[in-house]
């Protein structure tokens, strides 16, 4: 099983619908992130969380919200999806305890299409 | 958001050739410079990383060259193979696990022709 699991892997929805992308991890890491990938734009940070009680906005948080339900779970919501939110979304984790390398561990991605 | 500029956007190299991807950063406080490799349908995965106390790091056919004064670093893939065809992202951040993770370049789509 993957260490960082994202669901759903693919989703097609319509403008105005509410969408939730879920991420769970078995790595025991404290930090979790949501990135968005668009062709030619690379990976851009949406939100990140240090722990259950700490949520922070990233570079492109407008139109998105998150919830850290537990140390292992971090979900991304689009309250009212719009077509320019069509993208590939990645959840990632990192460990800042013990010997930290700064390395991010990514899930396999959730492809979202908003019609 | 501090930028990391990556070039070229796409690259085609013949099998056995050397692939070179370049990145430049702005924030001199960054002390961790990784390269991530992404295959279609997969998430990015760490390929190799360097810290600014060394000018070069080599792992197999992959080498990072780092120029602290120029604020530039590059990835060299020697004896490039078709299996190296992927998207490569450079990134910059903090070795202690910076508050906002890593800042990524826009990616290079590498194709190795047989």
């Amino acid at each position: 099983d993957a260490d960082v699991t994202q669901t759903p892997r693919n989703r097609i929805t319509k403008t105005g619908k509410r969408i939730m992308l879920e991420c769970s991890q078995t790595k025991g890491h404290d930090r979790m992130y949501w990135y968005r990938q668009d062709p030619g734009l690379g990976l851009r940070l949406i939100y990140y969380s240090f722990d259950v009680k700490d949520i922070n906005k990233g570079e492109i948080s407008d139109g998105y919200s998150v919830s850290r339900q537990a140390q292992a779970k971090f979900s991304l919501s689009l309250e009212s999806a719009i077509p320019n939110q069509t993208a590939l979304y990645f959840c990632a984790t990192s460990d800042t305890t013990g010997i930290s390398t700064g390395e991010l561990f990514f899930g396999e991605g959730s492809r979202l299409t908003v019609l | 958001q501090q930028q990391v500029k990556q070039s070229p956007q796409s690259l085609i190299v013949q099998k056995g050739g050397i692939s070179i991807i370049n990145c430049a950063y702005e924030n001199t406080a960054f002390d961790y410079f990784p390269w991530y490799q992404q295959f279609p349908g997969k998430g990015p995965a760490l390929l190799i990383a360097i810290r600014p106390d060394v000018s070069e790091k080599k792992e197999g056919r992959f080498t990072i060259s780092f120029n602290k004064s120029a604020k530039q670093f590059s990835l060299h893939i020697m004896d490039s193979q078709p299996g190296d065809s992927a998207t490569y992202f450079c990134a910059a951040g903090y070795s202690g696990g910076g508050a906002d993770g890593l800042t990524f370049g826009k990616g290079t789509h590498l194709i190795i022709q047989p």
Side-chain angles (χ1 to χ4, degrees):
Chain A
D1 288 340
D3 292 327
V4 182
T5 302
Q6 294 183 230
T7 56
R9 293 292 313 279
N10 289 283
R11 182 71 182 270
I12 299 174
T13 191
K14 294 182 178 180
T15 298
K17 294 292 187 180
R18 183 179 187 274
I19 294 297
M20 179 180 287
L21 306 179
E22 297 183 328
C23 177
S24 63
Q25 54 121 341
T26 58
K27 299 188 74 67
H29 289 172
D30 52 347
R31 292 187 176 179
M32 299 186 72
Y33 307 81
W34 276 103
Y35 281 90
R36 168 177 171 162
Q37 183 177 7
D38 298 276
L41 295 180
L43 292 155
R44 293 181 293 166
L45 183 64
I46 306 173
Y47 270 96
Y48 59 101
S49 170
F50 292 176
D51 61 38
V52 174
K53 298 180 181 180
D54 187 278
I55 302 290
N56 302 278
K57 293 182 178 180
E59 179 187 359
I60 55 165
S61 59
D62 288 348
Y64 302 95
S65 62
V66 292
S67 175
R68 184 84 182 264
Q69 300 95 323
Q71 188 200 28
K73 296 185 181 294
F74 192 37
S75 60
L76 176 71
S77 294
L78 289 68
E79 296 301 325
S80 180
I82 56 177
N84 76 1
Q85 292 178 313
T86 293
L88 185 56
Y89 291 86
F90 285 101
C91 176
T93 71
S94 69
D95 182 13
T96 57
T97 61
I99 300 174
S100 172
T101 63
E103 179 179 357
L104 290 177
F105 296 84
F106 286 85
E108 295 202 324
S110 295
R111 183 169 296 281
L112 176 65
T113 302
V114 183
L115 302 176
Chain B
Q1 183 83 351
Q2 298 289 337
Q3 286 189 338
V4 175
K5 295 182 179 179
Q6 181 173 348
S7 62
Q9 186 172 357
S10 62
L11 180 63
I12 299 174
V13 175
Q14 296 297 315
K15 179 182 176 181
I18 302 173
S19 303
I20 301 174
I21 305 171
N22 300 298
C23 282
Y25 64 98
E26 298 177 350
N27 185 353
T28 56
F30 287 145
D31 64 353
Y32 176 63
F33 302 90
W35 285 88
Y36 280 75
Q37 181 186 53
Q38 183 184 27
F39 294 108
K42 300 293 185 181
L46 180 65
L47 178 64
I48 186 172
I50 196 168
R51 291 187 169 78
D53 52 343
V54 296
S55 60
E56 184 176 283
K57 182 175 182 180
K58 183 176 181 179
E59 291 184 1
R61 297 183 293 107
F62 298 91
T63 300
I64 299 179
S65 297
F66 184 81
N67 186 329
K68 187 174 181 179
S69 61
K71 294 189 287 184
Q72 296 175 345
F73 58 110
S74 59
L75 176 69
H76 291 66
I77 305 174
M78 310 301 288
D79 186 27
S80 299
Q81 299 297 312
D84 298 330
S85 297
T87 299
Y88 292 82
F89 294 97
C90 63
Y94 305 93
S95 58
D100 56 356
L102 297 170
T103 300
F104 287 88
K106 294 185 177 181
T108 296
H109 182 50
L110 174 65
I111 296 173
I112 308 299
Q113 290 187 331

